[in-house]
Amino acid sequence: MLTILLDNGHGNNTPGKKSPVWPDGRQLLEWEFNRDIVARIAHRLDEAGIACHRLVPEENDIALAERCRRANQLARQGDCLLVSVHANAGGGSGGEVFTYPGAARSLEYARIFGQRWPFAFPHLRFRGCKEANFAILRESICPALLTENLFMDNESDCQILLSTEGRDTIARWHVDSIQQILQQFYSSR
Ligand SMILES: [Zn+2]
């Protein structure tokens, strides 16, 4: 039995972390996006009968140390996989998944997310599995992934992030990948 720990980064009080205001007047706020995706993932996991827990029900920014404390409290009680959901920025397009350097099991899971990407976004690039010394990845005692879902500062990516279909597709990518992980690593035979 694996429990998915869903982390939505940032809060409504986090500075920066938003897209430009596009010509149509719309703007993506990353804290809202992350929470919406996590809610969609949680809903789909519930439907699929997969245990999950939202680490940050609050709207404001919860310190990383507290998020890790919440995660580790659960991870001490049973098998968990932490997934932290984000939107990327800095110029580019597509998706990527981060793991802590040398975290072998996390990397195996990240590769499954990479394999499942084309089923969700056949016309967008999966930029690869990457390693980073992020606190949420470093401090978690269970396998942990951080997904960067398209670029909020790229107008065409951001239109997908602002759309219901785009958000559903991102949630579907996560749940599909988690189901593959369960099949490959947790099925009884
Ligand atoms: Zn972020």
Side-chain angles (χ1 to χ4, degrees), residues 10 17 30 86-87:
H10 322 302
K17 305 292 179 190
E30 196 192 345
H86 292 258

Side-chain angles (χ1 to χ4, degrees), residues 105-122:
R105 178 54 77 101
S106 299
L107 180 59
E108 285 185 277
Y109 293 166
R111 288 195 174 123
I112 292 178
F113 272 70
Q115 288 159 15
R116 303 310 293 176
W117 175 268
F119 297 95
F121 290 109

Side-chain angles (χ1 to χ4, degrees), residues 73-137:
Q73 193 172 32
L74 292 160
R76 274 185 216 104
Q77 295 165 29
D79 235 347
C80 290
L81 165 61
L82 186 150
V83 181
S84 186
V85 173
H86 292 258
N88 218 337
S93 175
E96 46 199 30
V97 178
F98 284 90
T99 56
Y100 186 68
R105 178 54 77 101
S106 299
L107 180 59
E108 285 185 277
Y109 293 166
R111 288 195 174 123
I112 292 178
F113 272 70
Q115 288 159 15
R116 303 310 293 176
W117 175 268
F119 297 95
F121 290 109
H123 304 299
L124 286 172
R125 183 172 152 227
F126 182 71
R127 300 161 57 91
C129 301
K130 303 183 175 183
E131 294 186 329
N133 183 15
F134 294 147
I136 193 83
L137 304 178

Side-chain angles (χ1 to χ4, degrees), residues 32-49:
E32 181 278 326
F33 169 80
N34 295 342
R35 276 165 183 70
D36 185 60
I37 296 298
V38 160
R40 287 169 198 266
I41 294 170
H43 180 74
R44 284 171 178 265
L45 289 174
D46 277 346
E47 280 188 339

